[in-house]
Every structure is written in structure tokens, then in C-alpha cells.
Amino acid sequence: MTETPTAATGSDRAGVARVTGAPERVAELSASLAALNDRIHAACRAADRDPGTVRLLPVTKFFPASDIEILYGLGRREFGESREQEASAKVAQLGHLSQIRWEFIGRLQRNKAKHVARWADTVYSVDSDRLATTLDTAAEAALEAGERHTPLRVLLQVSLDGDTARGGVTAADLPALADHVAGSASLQLGGLMAIPPLESDPEAAFAQLQSIHSYLLAAHPEAAELSAGMSGDLEAAIRHGSTCVRVGTALMGARPITSE
Ligand SMILES: *Cc1c(COP(=O)(O)O)cnc(C)c1O
């Protein structure tokens, strides 16, 4: 990053007294974070749910480390990234933020698992036994090397239309994969994640996901997380039991157009 952030003093709704960053960007992110929290609260009220049961995961891919630093100053501690190289670089840059936690939400190639297992608290996109085994080995090595201190938390990504080319395990193959992850010494089964299929009705997709989650919970009560909902569909996801919305655009602004 070439830009040197200038100090700005502000106060956000969480009462954080001092936030470092370019003043215009601090004001922008502070306003969009407040608006997003209002939106999540309204969705929870409409769904008759306690807002404390829905976590916001800011998705910061394509945005600079300086933005993450601003959001940290505004009280956020967890950040979602989806591209390994970009994320590893930010992790290195932001090592001074002692309470930061990184969550890897993108598709993960097995040859990148070793890197991600060093710094990720959670990987959201496990969809095969092979990837689970690779991550377990990588997490074990990171634990032994003292690079991490807790098992790697894993969410299983579900394919709601059975088109596994886009990532995700089918509902039929999910129980065996869940058993595999639950039995892996250096992994911890945390729950499910899904992205509605292109052109699908998110309402129907999230209803289907919620029912798949209820079956999983019967076998694995610890798998409580249901990560569903993004900028465009978080209300529908919250109506159907989401415990974690992953929001990029509505918080950070538009990303460059890519295939992701
Ligand atoms: C980029 C991304 C998001 C955020 O999407 P927005 O529509 O920008 O909120 C959520 N989940 C995953 C897996 C992503 O890759």
C-alpha cells in the first residue's frame, strides 16, 4: 500500500474513541457499518430473532489492509477473505492487530491449504474428503510448529443445486463428509455454508439449506453455525436461520468485476 494513512479521531456507535485511517474512508466505513447493522437488526426483528444470534462477517477481499485497520478501529475483529495470496499478504501486514481473526470463505485449492492453516481461524468451503484430509494434515503441522493454538474450525459448503463444479458437497454426500471432519484430530466441525445457485430464488434456497442443517444438527449438535446471506439476500437468509452473514459490497463498496 503506497498511501500513508493519516490519523483521524472519531467516535462510532460502539464508543470506540480513536480510529486510525484516512478521515473520508473512516467516515464512509463507519456510516456503511452502522447502516448494515441497522439492516441486520431490522431483519432479525422481522424474523422474530434475537440480533445476538446473527453475526456479521465483513468480507474484505480486493480492499486494502488499511480498510481492515479502520474496521478494526470500529470494533470489528473477524474478517472474511477468499483469495489465499491476497489474504496471506494482509495477515502479514496486520500482525500488530492482536485480536484479529481471519476466516477463509473462498474456494481453496489443496496446494494452498498449508498457508491458510497457518492463519485462518475458520475455513468455510470444505466440500470433499480430500480437502478435509489435506487441511487436517496442514492444521496438525501448524499446531506442532506453534503457528496456531486451536484446531482449525471448518464449515462444510453445501451445493444446493447439485452442480458441484461450482463448489460444495451435495446433500446426499454431506453426512459422510461431516463424520469425516468430526473425526479429524486437528479440525473442528463448525457448521454449514452455502451460496444460492445463480438465478435461483434465495428464499427457496435458504429454506432448503435450513432443512439440511437441521439434519446435520441431529447427528452433530456442535455444528451450529449456518453461514448464509450476502449483501443482496441477507434478509432471506436471516428468515431461514442464518447465524453468520458474509457481507462485502454493502459494507465496503463495489469490487472490481471478476469471475468470483
Ligand atoms: C465475496 C463473497 C461474499 C460477499 O459478497 P457481497 O455480495 O459482496 O456481499 C460472500 N461470500 C463469499 C463466499 C464471497 O466470496
Side-chain angles (χ1 to χ4, degrees):
M1 304 305 100
T2 53
E3 188 181 80
T4 310
T6 50
T9 305
S11 68
D12 74 311
R13 293 185 172 188
V16 176
R18 191 180 159 77
V19 181
T20 302
E24 312 75 50
R25 190 59 174 154
V26 172
E28 212 167 77
L29 287 174
S30 169
S32 61
L33 181 60
L36 185 56
N37 278 326
D38 286 349
R39 202 178 142 194
I40 293 170
H41 279 234
C44 287
R45 261 196 315 280
D48 206 9
R49 294 187 53 191
D50 172 0
T53 63
V54 180
R55 182 167 70 97
L56 164 64
L57 180 68
V59 174
T60 46
K61 65 189 180 204
F62 289 102
F63 287 90
S66 55
D67 278 355
I68 297 175
E69 199 151 16
I70 291 170
L71 289 168
Y72 189 94
L74 294 169
R76 309 309 311 183
R77 292 294 177 267
E78 298 155 10
F79 298 92
E81 289 280 340
S82 64
R83 307 183 321 150
E84 181 276 323
Q85 278 195 326
E86 176 188 339
S88 290
K90 289 177 186 169
V91 171
Q93 268 178 292
L94 295 173
H96 57 288
L97 305 179
S98 61
Q99 294 173 32
I100 202 162
R101 285 204 303 282
W102 299 97
E103 314 213 334
F104 191 83
I105 63 173
R107 293 191 74 178
L108 182 58
Q109 291 169 295
R110 284 189 300 137
N111 62 357
K112 304 287 176 64
K114 205 160 44 165
H115 299 281
V116 170
R118 294 196 176 111
W119 50 255
D121 184 76
T122 306
V123 171
Y124 280 55
S125 49
V126 173
D127 60 1
S128 72
D129 284 336
R130 269 158 45 114
L131 179 55
T133 300
T134 304
L135 273 175
D136 185 41
T137 306
E140 183 186 353
L143 284 163
E144 275 171 12
E147 292 164 329
R148 63 178 309 120
H149 305 287
T150 54
L152 179 62
R153 187 169 168 265
V154 157
L155 305 189
L156 306 180
Q157 183 177 350
V158 182
S159 166
L160 295 172
D161 60 1
D163 177 9
T164 52
R166 291 184 60 240
V169 61
T170 62
D173 291 338
L174 177 69
L177 180 57
D179 292 346
H180 176 129
V181 168
S184 300
S186 301
L187 302 180
Q188 183 207 327
L189 179 63
L192 296 184
M193 184 276 257
I195 303 170
L198 293 171
E199 329 244 321
S200 72
D201 168 15
E203 199 75 44
F206 292 137
Q208 182 192 355
L209 178 64
Q210 186 172 28
S211 120
I212 294 169
H213 189 225
S214 69
Y215 283 104
L216 175 70
L217 279 174
H220 295 281
E222 74 280 16
E225 186 97 283
L226 182 60
S227 180
M230 311 189 282
S231 293
D233 56 17
L234 66 87
E235 283 83 3
I238 287 173
R239 271 196 293 283
H240 293 287
S242 175
T243 62
C244 167
V245 294
R246 309 175 308 274
V247 181
T249 312
L251 177 61
M252 311 301 295
R255 289 185 293 274
I257 295 171
T258 71
S259 59
E260 282 184 65

